[in-house]
Amino acid sequence: DAKTTQPTSMDCAEGRAANLPCNHSTISGNEYVYWYRQIHSQGPQYIIHGLKNNETNEMASLIITEDRKSSTLILPHATLRDTAVYYCIVRAGGGTSYGKLTFGQGTILTVHP
Amino acid sequence: DGGITQSPKYLFRKEGQNVTLSCEQNLNHDAMYWYRQDPGQGLRLIYYSQIVNDFQKGDIAEGYSVSREKKESFPLTVTSAQKNPTAFYLCATQQGGTDTQYFGPGTRLTVL
């Protein structure tokens, strides 16, 4: 799986959009970009994933650059409950990828009032 | 409701005792995983199982054992051979034909 690079920490004001970047310059053609988050003392929570098109669900939007070397997770209206560590993971797709998810250090997002 | 259940949330054991952590799922997912997380660290894979009665070692399987007798259950036993068992243990599931893993709430094991 390709390696990812994320900023160590970010701050965001409550009610504003949180934009979390991720670099994955060595991503392969069949690899998807996944985002998870982990709130303190809880299990990681799946947020969203995508291959090359932008994706949106009830939690967030994922914007992937055309060259696929980077992506941005957008939380449109951050709340205090969104304070967590956010992980960007690149993983082979096709429905055949079993085995470990490799979590890096992630980005600590702090949402403040 | 349900999804992935891990019980108990907190577990305390004396050194030298074996302990079994429970993971149950009602998602009908084929694959199940056990990870370990230490403070400030990423997740490390202990064991995983793609189908009933079959499982594979992960990166840190020494001192642990698992069984997969039923699709919905994947218990993890932490044996006395595990040198540093105190950690946060996470169970995950994955539906066959997809690549997304979903995690349970975790069990925090403390060995005294």
Side-chain angles (χ1 to χ4, degrees):
Chain A
D1 292 343
K3 183 179 178 180
T4 62
T5 304
Q6 300 177 251
T8 301
S9 63
M10 295 183 65
D11 289 332
C12 178
E14 189 176 20
R16 305 298 294 268
N19 298 286
L20 292 90
C22 179
N23 287 321
H24 31 78
S25 59
T26 60
I27 192 169
S28 301
N30 69 334
E31 289 182 318
Y32 285 69
V33 180
Y34 281 79
W35 283 84
Y36 285 79
R37 72 180 182 185
Q38 188 173 24
I39 296 169
H40 182 64
S41 294
Q42 297 183 21
Q45 179 186 22
Y46 164 78
I47 301 173
I48 198 168
H49 73 282
L51 182 63
K52 54 183 178 180
N53 296 322
N54 298 338
E55 302 288 344
T56 296
N57 63 21
E58 64 279 3
M59 288 185 67
S61 295
L62 173 60
I63 308 299
I64 302 173
T65 58
E66 193 168 344
D67 64 6
R68 302 205 328 119
K69 293 183 183 299
S70 67
S71 61
T72 301
L73 178 74
I74 301 172
L75 306 179
H77 305 287
T79 71
L80 299 179
R81 289 191 299 271
D82 293 322
T83 293
V85 181
Y86 286 77
Y87 297 98
C88 170
I89 298 165
V90 172
R91 179 171 172 82
T96 60
S97 193
Y98 290 96
K100 69 179 177 183
L101 277 181
T102 301
F103 285 73
Q105 293 303 306
T107 297
I108 301 170
L109 175 68
T110 303
V111 181
H112 51 85
Chain B
D1 198 28
I4 304 169
T5 304
Q6 290 188 246
S7 60
K9 187 172 177 65
Y10 299 96
L11 191 55
F12 297 88
R13 279 295 182 271
K14 292 183 178 180
E15 192 172 348
Q17 290 181 334
N18 291 354
V19 60
T20 297
L21 281 60
S22 167
C23 179
E24 304 280 331
Q25 55 112 351
N26 63 4
L27 302 171
N28 200 35
H29 285 181
D30 296 308
M32 297 185 73
Y33 298 79
W34 276 105
Y35 291 87
R36 167 184 173 142
Q37 187 175 36
D38 295 282
Q41 304 280 327
L43 276 64
R44 292 185 288 169
L45 182 65
I46 304 172
Y47 270 99
Y48 70 101
S49 166
Q50 291 182 230
I51 56 173
V52 174
N53 292 323
D54 186 50
F55 47 82
Q56 287 78 42
K57 293 183 179 180
D59 296 328
I60 56 165
E62 185 176 351
Y64 299 97
S65 66
V66 293
S67 63
R68 186 86 186 278
E69 297 177 1
K70 300 185 296 182
K71 187 175 185 178
E72 59 269 25
S73 178
F74 191 40
L76 173 74
T77 297
V78 184
T79 75
S80 56
Q82 168 51 232
K83 296 180 182 178
N84 297 296
T86 294
F88 189 43
Y89 289 87
L90 289 156
C91 176
T93 69
Q94 179 179 342
Q95 176 61 286
T98 72
D99 306 297
T100 304
Q101 292 183 19
Y102 297 91
F103 288 82
T107 291
R108 190 167 298 280
L109 172 66
T110 302
V111 175
L112 306 171

